[in-house]
């Protein structure tokens, strides 16, 4: 756990998955969004007390005869710089957003755009739209987490605020979740495994 991911590792990981049928899932979001709590709900089906992820955790889920590697990558400003490298090894991206903390939604939207388009994301996004690029032909699952707190944003609000329609992904969905209680985690897993089976 916690070791960095190099380009060589990415290539070897992708080659191994091509042989074995394994899938890599990038689990990201801003710090404090609940990524690690979501990860352990997927893996164990229960709430586990966690500490902030400083680098990354790699956990494996075996589900219905398939193997899924979850790369739970920290959301601090410095660690976000590594998201693009991790994304190259991913078959799906899960973006966890704190739907209760409206003040950080613009930061979450900017971080997501930088993941797909780089630092100069506004120019790259405009170019991508003009040529209908599919830079990442993978599914994007957005979890609107912390629905148990007062006045959280709903799925439609999150979709609009993050400008998900502008992202070059094969498919996308926003699912409201409460990771502490496991609300909608199974629905998210069903969508994820269904998309990865296509």
């Amino acid at each position: 756990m916690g070791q960095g991911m190099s380009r060589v590792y990415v290539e070897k990981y992708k080659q191994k998955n091509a042989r074995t049928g394994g899938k890599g899932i990038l689990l990201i979001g801003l710090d404090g969004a609940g990524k690690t709590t979501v990860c352990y709900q997927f893996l164990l089906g229960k709430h586990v007390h966690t500490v902030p992820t400083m680098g990354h955790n790699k956990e494996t889920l075996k589900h219905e005869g398939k193997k899924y590697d979850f790369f739970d990558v920290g959301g601090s400003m410095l660690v976000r710089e590594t998201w693009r490298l991790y994304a190259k090894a991913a078959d799906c991206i899960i973006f966890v957003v704190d739907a209760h903390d409206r003040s950080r939604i613009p930061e979450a939207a900017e971080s997501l755009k930088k993941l797909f388009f780089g630092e100069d994301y506004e120019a790259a996004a405009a170019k991508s739209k003009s040529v209908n690029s599919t830079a990442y032909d993978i599914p994007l699952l957005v979890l609107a987490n912390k629905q148990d707190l007062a006045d959280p944003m709903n799925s439609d609000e999150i979709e609009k605020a993050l400008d998900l329609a502008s992202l070059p992904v094969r498919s996308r969905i926003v699912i409201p979740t409460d990771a502490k209680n496991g609300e909608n985690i199974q629905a998210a897993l069903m969508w994820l495994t269904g998309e990865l089976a296509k």
Side-chain angles (χ1 to χ4, degrees):
M1 287 190 185
Q3 70 267 31
M5 180 179 280
S6 69
R7 285 179 175 77
V8 172
Y9 178 85
V10 168
E11 288 309 312
K12 286 184 178 180
Y13 180 78
K14 287 169 73 173
Q15 289 170 5
K16 182 186 94 172
N17 279 354
R19 285 191 317 272
T20 64
K23 300 292 183 183
I25 299 165
L26 177 59
L27 180 60
I28 54 173
L30 301 185
D31 48 301
K35 298 174 298 299
T36 304
T37 303
V38 164
C39 187
Y40 285 115
Q41 280 286 2
F42 279 133
L43 296 168
L44 306 174
K46 66 180 182 179
H47 177 249
V48 174
H49 291 284
T50 63
V51 295
T53 304
M54 294 292 125
H56 87 263
N57 298 317
K58 180 182 171 221
E59 303 287 352
T60 300
L61 170 68
K62 291 185 179 171
H63 179 73
E64 296 180 353
K66 302 281 185 187
K67 179 180 163 238
Y68 303 94
D69 290 327
F70 284 83
F71 291 91
D72 169 19
V73 183
S76 67
M77 189 71 80
L78 288 174
V79 178
R80 283 182 228 165
E81 301 298 320
T82 66
W83 287 1
R84 292 192 79 179
L85 181 58
Y86 283 92
K88 291 178 187 207
D91 296 292
C92 177
I93 295 173
I94 301 175
F95 189 77
V96 182
V97 62
D98 181 344
H100 169 72
D101 192 352
R102 293 171 186 262
S103 68
R104 293 194 76 193
I105 295 297
E107 183 183 358
E110 181 179 342
S111 296
L112 197 53
K113 294 243 174 155
K114 284 182 180 178
L115 169 68
F116 285 96
F117 301 114
E119 286 298 319
D120 190 13
Y121 64 88
E122 291 174 342
K127 184 177 179 184
S128 173
K129 281 183 181 176
S130 69
V131 297
N132 195 22
S133 169
T134 54
Y136 286 78
D137 186 26
I138 60 176
L140 172 65
L141 169 59
V142 177
L143 300 181
N145 198 28
K146 304 194 180 182
Q147 293 292 318
D148 55 315
L149 300 179
D151 194 31
M153 296 174 75
N154 64 36
S155 297
D156 291 338
E157 290 173 304
I158 293 288
E159 170 108 19
K160 186 175 179 183
L162 296 181
D163 192 19
L164 297 181
S166 72
L167 302 179
V169 294
R170 181 176 75 215
S171 57
R172 69 180 187 276
I173 191 170
V174 179
I175 297 179
T177 57
D178 169 9
K180 281 188 177 178
N181 296 317
E183 179 183 334
N184 282 338
I185 295 295
Q186 286 303 309
L189 184 60
M190 284 177 59
W191 184 86
L192 174 74
T193 56
E195 287 298 308
L196 289 174
K198 291 180 180 176

